[in-house]
């Protein structure tokens, strides 16, 4: 759920516990899925720009799927920011191309949801339900009951991708090193490990982070992780990101991701593949979030909860204390079919070092955490879900920044915000050449 926060800057001792840690590597891929017919006409959609035979075949499969989404749509919505949203019957969404889901319909929402354990982490004030702030629904638009909103992906989006066969996916683990500090990816994150986790929750404010080039991105998210950082890594991810290559613009967008083999052959962003099952008709995954936070002004944050349903075993995504977005079926995973052994919160950017210097791509608000409330990006009420399906404070939260002169992190605790941290920075500056 989105909220406008008017709290004063919490004045508590700062905890800046930096420790060595193996971080996930996220790399920008291309975009979501939908229809190519209206992006330059049928001619563009029928001519594959990829030369290799496998790439041409992959491109044609994507174009065919996009055309199917448009054909199945029973309502089309034009967003003020240029997006096209198709309202597709829920049982016709990409998830149900999966052999284990074919012919089925989305499951009913869980009756029991995680609740705070007595005396646990600080909780947000109860607020009246509000529509998740996305540009396409600003005028009160929604998809009809029984359908889900799917953002159209054009043929032009696919052509921006470096590979049609890996459209909507991140690079294979073989392209990524365990040491995140030498791979062009930089992080400022809080994490917990060493226990069995069944979910995570936090509120984070949304910013229009400036990204210097299409080869880079800036994101803020929650990672739910299990397995090793080798070929069997399982992750579930959700948050907001600015990725010109993925979406074709610089708007902050709501996104999801998953993988069960360290980004090799499984998983995708948003609804690009058969995996995540959407159940909500008012929230479009991959659509722009609007409005966003303003420096020295009003702050807008979103509250995300990812948790494992103890009865059916699926991992659900919820916004605040309100609507469920959908779920990742448990059969998608190996290690996460049981529980997570790590949860991570925070920001990441790609540093392509243009002209041999550090990128000016921003993380969070583009300002350092020392500037505090109304100026820096934050995560607040950072919690995890325990084995009793209860929300508890992420009490052993550790903070780490790969390059503090470029992007830093500082945290603490108070009654209003529970465990919290500020994070981010401007990238290139006198302390980050």
């Amino acid at each position: 759920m989105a909220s406008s926060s008017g709290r004063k800057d919490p004045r508590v001792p700062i905890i800046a516990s930096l420790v060595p840690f193996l971080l996930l590597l996220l790399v920008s891929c291309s975009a979501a899925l939908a229809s190519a017919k209206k992006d330059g006409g049928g001619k563009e959609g029928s001519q594959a720009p990829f030369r290799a035979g496998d790439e041409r075949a992959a491109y044609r499969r994507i174009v065919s799927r996009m055309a199917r989404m448009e054909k199945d749509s029973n309502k089309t919505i034009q967003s003020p920011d240029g997006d096209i949203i198709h309202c597709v019957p829920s049982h016709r969404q990409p998830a149900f191309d999966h052999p284990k889901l074919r012919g089925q319909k989305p499951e009913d929402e869980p009756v029991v949801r995680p609740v705070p354990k007595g005396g646990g982490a600080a909780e947000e004030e109860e607020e009246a339900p509000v529509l998740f702030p996305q540009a396409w629904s600003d005028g009160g638009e929604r998809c009809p009951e029984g359908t889900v909103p799917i953002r159209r992906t054009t043929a032009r989006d696919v052509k921006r991708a470096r590979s049609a066969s890996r459209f909507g996916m991140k690079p294979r683990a073989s392209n990524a090193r365990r040491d995140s500090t030498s791979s062009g990816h930089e992080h400022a994150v809080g994490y917990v490990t060493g226990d069995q986790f069944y979910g995570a929750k936090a509120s984070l404010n949304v910013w229009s982070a400036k990204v210097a080039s299409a080869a880079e991105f800036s994101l803020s998210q929650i990672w739910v992780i299990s397995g090793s950082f080798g070929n069997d890594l399982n992750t579930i991810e959700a948050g907001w990101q600015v990725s010109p290559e993925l979406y074709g613009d610089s708007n902050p967008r709501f996104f999801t991701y998953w993988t069960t083999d360290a980004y090799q052959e499984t998983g995708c962003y948003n609804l690009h593949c058969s995996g995540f099952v959407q159940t909500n008709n008012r929230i479009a995954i991959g659509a722009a979030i609007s409005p966003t936070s303003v420096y020295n002004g009003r702050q807008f944050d979103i509250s995300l909860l990812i948790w494992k349903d103890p009865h059916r075993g699926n991992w659900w995504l919820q916004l605040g204390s309100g609507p469920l977005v959908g779920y990742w079926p448990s059969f998608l995973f190996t290690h996460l079919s049981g529980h997570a052994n790590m949860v991570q919160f925070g920001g990441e950017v790609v540093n392509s070092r243009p002209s041999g210097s550090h990128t000016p791509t921003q993380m969070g608000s583009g300002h350092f955490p020392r500037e505090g409330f109304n100026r820096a990006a934050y995560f607040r009420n950072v919690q995890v879900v325990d084995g009793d399906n209860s929300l508890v404070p992420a009490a052993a939260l550790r903070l780490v920044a790969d390059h503090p002169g470029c992007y830093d992190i500082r945290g603490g605790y108070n009654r209003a915000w529970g465990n919290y941290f500020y994070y981010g920075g401007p990238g290139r500056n006198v302390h980050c050449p």
Side-chain angles (χ1 to χ4, degrees):
M1 205 118 46
S3 65
S4 172
S5 180
R7 301 174 179 80
K8 295 182 179 179
D9 186 2
R11 303 292 183 179
V12 297
I14 293 173
I15 299 175
S17 174
L18 302 178
V19 296
F21 178 55
L22 304 176
L23 293 167
L24 290 176
L25 299 175
L26 302 176
V27 178
S28 170
C29 287
S30 60
L33 152 168
S35 166
K37 290 175 66 178
K38 296 185 180 178
D39 181 42
K43 187 175 182 181
E44 180 184 13
S46 62
Q47 294 181 344
F50 303 97
R51 294 184 178 180
D54 289 346
E55 289 290 287
R56 286 198 305 270
Y59 178 80
R60 288 169 181 147
R61 285 195 299 270
I62 295 166
V63 169
S64 175
R65 174 180 273 184
M66 292 190 290
R68 194 194 81 197
M69 289 296 102
E70 183 172 2
K71 180 181 178 181
D72 288 344
S73 175
N74 61 25
K75 180 179 181 180
T76 299
I77 300 169
Q78 174 75 57
S79 175
D81 63 357
D83 278 357
I84 302 293
I85 305 296
H86 291 305
C87 300
V88 177
S90 58
H91 67 284
R92 298 286 292 169
Q93 64 181 291
F96 293 96
D97 293 339
H98 195 288
K100 291 188 176 181
L101 292 176
R102 199 165 290 147
Q104 300 181 34
K105 294 182 179 181
E107 291 189 0
D108 293 335
E109 296 183 352
V111 175
V112 179
R113 304 186 188 184
V115 294
K117 185 165 284 186
E123 272 294 290
E124 305 166 70
E125 298 87 352
E126 289 298 320
E127 300 172 358
V130 296
L131 189 64
F132 186 63
Q134 292 188 297
W136 74 278
S137 58
D138 274 351
E141 288 280 11
R142 72 177 70 175
C143 283
E145 293 293 333
T147 70
V148 294
I150 296 180
R151 175 185 177 268
R152 173 190 290 172
T153 299
T154 65
R156 188 175 294 114
D157 293 332
V158 184
K159 291 176 181 179
R160 280 197 309 273
R162 301 169 196 179
S163 165
S165 62
R166 293 190 59 78
F167 177 71
M169 299 177 69
K170 296 176 183 178
R172 292 181 175 90
S174 60
N175 296 331
R177 295 180 55 180
R178 289 168 176 257
D179 177 7
S180 68
T181 63
S182 60
S183 65
H185 291 249
E186 299 181 15
H187 307 76
V189 300
Y191 70 94
V192 291
T193 188
D195 203 347
Q196 295 184 1
F197 305 106
Y198 295 85
K201 182 179 182 181
S203 296
L204 57 157
N205 55 350
V206 181
W207 296 87
S208 297
K210 294 180 180 178
V211 174
S213 75
E216 300 178 342
F217 67 73
S218 180
L219 62 79
S220 298
Q221 69 169 62
I222 297 174
W223 291 261
V224 175
I225 306 166
S226 193
S228 70
F229 280 75
N231 294 340
D232 65 343
L233 184 73
N234 288 199
T235 75
I236 289 172
E237 307 165 24
W240 63 265
Q241 65 181 163
V242 178
S243 177
E245 183 180 278
L246 187 59
Y247 302 106
D249 60 26
S250 297
N251 294 324
R253 293 173 176 272
F254 177 50
F255 82 98
T256 63
Y257 199 89
W258 68 275
T259 182
T260 190
D261 61 355
Y263 311 103
Q264 294 189 90
E265 302 295 338
T266 64
C268 62
Y269 278 109
N270 306 332
L271 303 180
H272 292 195
C273 63
S274 53
F276 185 82
V277 179
Q278 182 157 344
T279 58
N280 193 294
N281 67 327
R282 298 190 181 194
I283 298 159
I285 302 174
I289 301 172
S290 177
T292 59
S293 299
V294 176
Y295 184 80
N296 265 338
R298 218 172 165 197
Q299 301 298 293
F300 285 90
D301 61 30
I302 58 175
S303 181
L304 301 176
L305 168 62
I306 300 169
W307 96 98
K308 186 177 179 63
D309 175 16
H311 300 293
R312 301 297 296 261
N314 300 322
W315 290 87
W316 282 84
L317 174 61
Q318 179 175 322
L319 292 171
S321 58
L324 298 181
V325 181
Y327 61 93
W328 293 269
S330 63
F331 67 73
L332 294 174
F333 304 102
T334 52
H335 299 291
L336 280 176
S337 63
H339 57 81
N341 55 29
M342 180 185 299
V343 176
Q344 188 169 295
F345 312 81
E348 179 184 3
V349 300
V350 171
N351 173 26
S352 63
R353 295 193 65 80
S355 303
S357 300
H358 194 285
T359 181
T361 286
Q362 299 175 337
M363 180 188 291
S365 69
H367 293 263
F368 284 113
R370 62 175 176 266
E371 295 193 39
F373 187 71
N374 273 353
R375 300 175 179 87
Y378 62 74
F379 275 70
R380 62 184 177 90
N381 296 111
V382 177
Q383 301 168 79
V384 296
V385 180
D386 67 12
D388 295 326
N389 202 36
S390 298
L391 283 163
V392 297
L397 189 70
R398 301 176 181 179
L399 307 180
V400 59
D402 291 340
H403 298 285
C406 309
Y407 313 106
D408 205 0
I409 185 167
R410 299 182 180 184
Y413 174 88
N414 67 21
R415 291 187 62 186
W417 278 22
N419 288 290
Y420 73 89
F421 58 83
Y422 291 102
Y423 70 101
R428 185 167 65 225
N429 66 85
V430 294
H431 302 292
C432 178

